[in-house]
Amino acid sequence: MKELSVSNANTLYQTSLMSALLSGVYEGETTMAQLREHGDFGLGTFNKLDGELIAFDGNIFQLRGDGTARRASPEQKTPFATMTFFNPTNEYHIDSPHTREEIHTLIDQVISQNAFCALRINGEFSRVDTRTVPEQQRPYKPMMEAVKQQPTFHIKNSVGVLIGFLTPEYMQGINVAGFHEHFIDQARHSGGHVLDYQVERGTLTFGTVEKLAIDFPHDQDFLNANLSPENLREAIRAVES
Ligand code: ZN
């Protein structure tokens, strides 16, 4: 493990809350262009829950319900996204096969369980299991029901980029506690929300984030939503893992 030189404190910018998404607040006002002002790297979704968002190197891609990917346009909007300017402080060369769990253990050994962490893997993956939510229509169902129909994909032998965040347990509901990762292949043609993977070779970079800024929506959907349901933990586990 190599330590990289540390630059300025990183800020995590977030629009809305995971608990709002969970309860069916699927339309936000924040555009991709606005997200880019807050970071070059991140995860999220699109209005109407139309696929998964993955951002890195300043580019934002939409991973759609059929497993395909495309570049997001600056006017597209998101109901929930997390962005930062990626400044990794640690680098690890992956020269033998690592499971998802092994990658997470590597990070857990360096990063405190109470810290936010952004991570990236550029690598050759023998297997990436993904899913993407299909576009929803009003009246919106809670996410737990919406994801019941979501297809899963098994991407084999793919070079690509995996972007993720590690969020502390005390932030459950505000964001997704634990590891949350999205993947896109090198051709930028397929990817999704990551369920599991094995990486054969590549580079893992990661670093902590020291500040958090949240833009709260003020539309009726958000203001009327139940943002602390009793089954919050179970619901997030069901939709995000
Ligand atoms: Zn996701």
Side-chain angles (χ1 to χ4, degrees):
M1 187 87 62
K2 192 167 94 187
E3 279 196 30
L4 307 173
S5 65
V6 184
S7 52
N8 298 333
N10 302 318
T11 299
L12 195 71
Y13 168 82
Q14 183 179 318
T15 179
S16 194
L17 302 171
M18 184 59 209
S19 57
L21 197 67
L22 213 59
S23 70
V25 183
Y26 297 152
E27 291 178 41
E29 285 304 314
T30 308
T31 64
M32 296 302 112
Q34 288 167 331
L35 283 186
R36 278 290 288 109
E37 292 170 16
H38 299 284
D40 57 5
F41 174 105
L43 299 180
T45 184
F46 292 85
N47 273 11
K48 298 185 168 184
L49 222 56
D50 187 12
E52 312 281 340
L53 182 156
I54 182 171
F56 53 95
D57 301 334
N59 299 307
I60 305 178
F61 297 94
Q62 183 178 14
L63 311 166
R64 307 197 68 212
D66 59 0
T68 63
R70 67 183 183 192
R71 192 178 281 267
S73 72
E75 312 78 50
Q76 277 182 277
K77 292 178 178 175
T78 177
F80 178 77
T82 307
M83 297 291 287
T84 190
F85 288 99
F86 189 52
N87 277 315
T89 48
N90 291 77
E91 186 179 76
Y92 176 82
H93 286 284
I94 303 162
D95 47 24
S96 62
H98 282 62
T99 61
R100 183 184 195 216
E101 214 174 298
E102 286 165 343
I103 292 290
H104 293 177
T105 301
L106 281 171
I107 296 169
D108 284 336
Q109 283 165 355
V110 177
I111 302 290
S112 159
Q113 61 176 356
N114 293 331
F116 268 100
C117 170
L119 66 122
R120 172 175 180 160
I121 299 173
N122 278 54
E124 290 174 46
F125 294 80
S126 49
R127 180 175 57 83
V128 187
D129 300 332
T130 66
R131 62 102 171 123
T132 43
V133 279
E135 185 177 359
Q136 303 294 304
Q137 303 297 336
R138 282 185 186 271
Y140 293 133
K141 289 180 287 218
M143 203 171 166
M144 236 170 128
E145 284 171 48
V147 300
K148 275 182 187 153
Q149 278 99 32
Q150 65 183 0
T152 57
F153 299 90
H154 306 283
I155 300 167
K156 294 251 176 356
N157 303 320
S158 181
V159 175
V161 179
L162 182 141
I163 297 296
F165 288 106
L166 169 59
T167 299
E169 198 60 44
Y170 61 80
M171 293 297 292
Q172 186 69 295
I174 293 174
N175 207 304
V176 180
F179 285 91
H180 181 197
E181 298 157 311
H182 289 181
F183 173 82
I184 189 167
D185 70 348
Q186 193 169 41
R188 313 294 182 238
H189 285 159
S190 62
H193 170 93
V194 171
L195 302 172
D196 198 13
Y197 58 86
Q198 175 154 316
V199 55
E200 301 296 308
R201 270 169 296 278
T203 306
L204 162 70
T205 46
F206 59 96
T208 56
V209 177
E210 284 78 25
K211 292 180 187 174
L212 172 65
I214 302 176
D215 259 338
F216 293 104
H218 19 253
D219 60 283
Q220 289 308 312
D221 283 358
F222 179 84
L223 295 173
N224 295 323
N226 176 8
L227 300 181
S228 48
E230 272 173 35
N231 66 341
L232 182 74
R233 269 161 211 279
E234 296 76 15
I236 291 182
R237 219 158 278 149
V239 301
E240 294 295 341
S241 59

